[in-house]
Amino acid sequence: MPTANSPTTATAASSERPATTTKLTGLTWHNTRALTGLDGWTVTKTTATYNGSPTAALEAVQQRMDHVRATEGGRATGYASLIAVRNKLRECSTGASHPAVTVTVKRAKKTTTKTRTGSPKARLTRKRQAEYTTAELVSALEAAWVAIRTNHTEIPAVVLIVGSGTATKQAKYGHFAPVRWQHGEQRLAEVLISGEGLKRPVEEVFTTLLHEAAHALADVREIKDTSRQGRWHNQKFAELAGELGLDATKDPKIGWSPCTLRKQTAITYSGVLADLKNALIAYRHPEALGGQAKKNNNNAVACACQCPRRIRVAKAVLAEGEITCGICESTFEPDE
């Protein structure tokens, strides 16, 4: 007979999870017909209930969509209705509305508990991450820029963006561009942090911010710190970088551009580095550049999707494979 603390009892308690159901109301006949027959779904005239979470319900609908599109095509009967349901299930966590359905999520009360050590954040691993939000990343980068400005008051406010650093032939981790944005009567500079560079350690990402702050300081003081279209960083840039807590080293191709974070600077911004590290849970893959040149074929064909939107595309391009609409996810097909 196992005791209350035996492994058998602990395993049984841990396997009991609170049930979750996802109920869709206000459905049309087309919506319910499209959901009929899906595993886990119970369908009536205007409602459909899934025995699971909205995430699991979304996965079930997406699998049906993939199957229909693979076997019958993007214009199959019921495919547009599945799109409407899929889109609402995607939006239900953000509170957005959709005319097709409303979602009610019901969770049963827990009957058993399982003690786990450590907070949810402490249990995150490299493969088990918190949900990614762009707002959290940009907020952390902006907070880091504010901290730099607090210690160096000459550095201006900027518009901070995250984007591609490999869209051009010369890859980059960031850039500073003066008077790029308009805010009322005020012109603001732009600081770009490349998404590809977010794969690096937090100290190197913060070094990029300080590097761009040195360019901002040069702009305010009207100091020419670069040449050769901004590629060559001169000695004046090295002095500005040193003023902000970086050590610059000279490269034969790009001058004093490479910088490292001083130990004392890392201590000064230790709180900022900790917050920024928590936000660096995603990074961007480089652009896929190159490849074989495609033949030019001006014999264009008019195509339409389920939205419907219309495009014209060369026959040779259309023959290479399906072209999918980013809104309804149906395939563009020749408009006969």
Side-chain angles (χ1 to χ4, degrees), residues 113-147:
T113 60
K114 180 182 177 182
T115 303
R116 301 183 70 179
T117 59
S119 65
K121 286 187 176 181
R123 294 195 299 269
L124 296 179
T125 65
R126 186 174 181 83
K127 293 186 177 180
R128 183 177 182 269
Q129 294 282 0
E131 183 178 357
Y132 172 78
T133 64
T134 307
E136 183 179 0
L137 171 62
V138 175
S139 178
L141 290 169
E142 288 180 336
W145 189 265
V146 169

Side-chain angles (χ1 to χ4, degrees), residues 84-103:
V85 175
R86 187 278 313 275
N87 290 347
K88 180 54 189 176
L89 288 169
R90 281 182 174 176
E91 296 170 359
C92 70
S93 61
T94 63
S97 61
H98 192 283
V101 294
T102 57
V103 177

Side-chain angles (χ1 to χ4, degrees), residues 155-318:
I155 295 175
V158 299
V159 175
L160 205 152
I161 64 174
V162 178
S164 171
T166 56
T168 58
K169 185 177 296 186
Q170 185 68 36
K172 58 187 176 182
Y173 288 134
H175 77 216
F176 171 81
V179 294
R180 185 65 63 86
W181 290 73
Q182 187 75 38
H183 175 59
E185 298 297 324
Q186 185 182 11
R187 297 291 294 272
L188 296 174
E190 172 184 281
V191 168
L192 165 76
I193 300 298
S194 79
E196 295 87 344
L198 299 179
K199 187 178 182 179
R200 300 173 296 161
V202 63
E203 293 81 6
E204 294 183 21
V205 176
F206 187 68
T207 296
T208 298
L209 275 174
L210 286 174
H211 180 114
E212 305 311 330
H215 287 307
L217 193 57
D219 182 64
V220 169
R221 295 179 182 177
E222 298 183 351
I223 296 174
K224 184 173 176 57
D225 62 338
T226 63
S227 58
R228 304 177 191 172
Q229 291 79 45
R231 294 189 298 273
W232 179 267
H233 292 56
N234 58 32
Q235 182 66 41
K236 293 179 180 178
F237 171 82
E239 294 171 0
L240 293 171
E243 187 176 332
L244 299 185
L246 298 176
D247 288 324
T249 55
K250 190 174 183 180
D251 181 271
K253 294 183 178 180
I254 55 178
W256 297 89
S257 178
C259 295
T260 55
L261 192 67
R262 293 175 186 163
K263 184 176 181 180
Q264 184 56 47
T265 308
I267 295 174
T268 300
Y269 292 100
S270 58
V272 174
L273 291 172
D275 292 339
L276 185 57
K277 183 178 181 179
N278 290 333
L280 298 181
I281 61 174
Y283 59 88
R284 188 178 190 275
H285 290 289
E287 303 287 348
L289 299 177
Q292 294 181 347
K294 296 181 180 179
K295 296 181 180 179
N296 185 22
N297 189 340
N298 293 324
N299 191 10
V301 178
C303 299
C305 66
Q306 283 284 342
C307 289
R309 293 196 298 170
R310 293 171 60 85
I311 63 172
R312 293 186 66 84
V313 60
K315 288 183 178 180
V317 175
L318 188 62

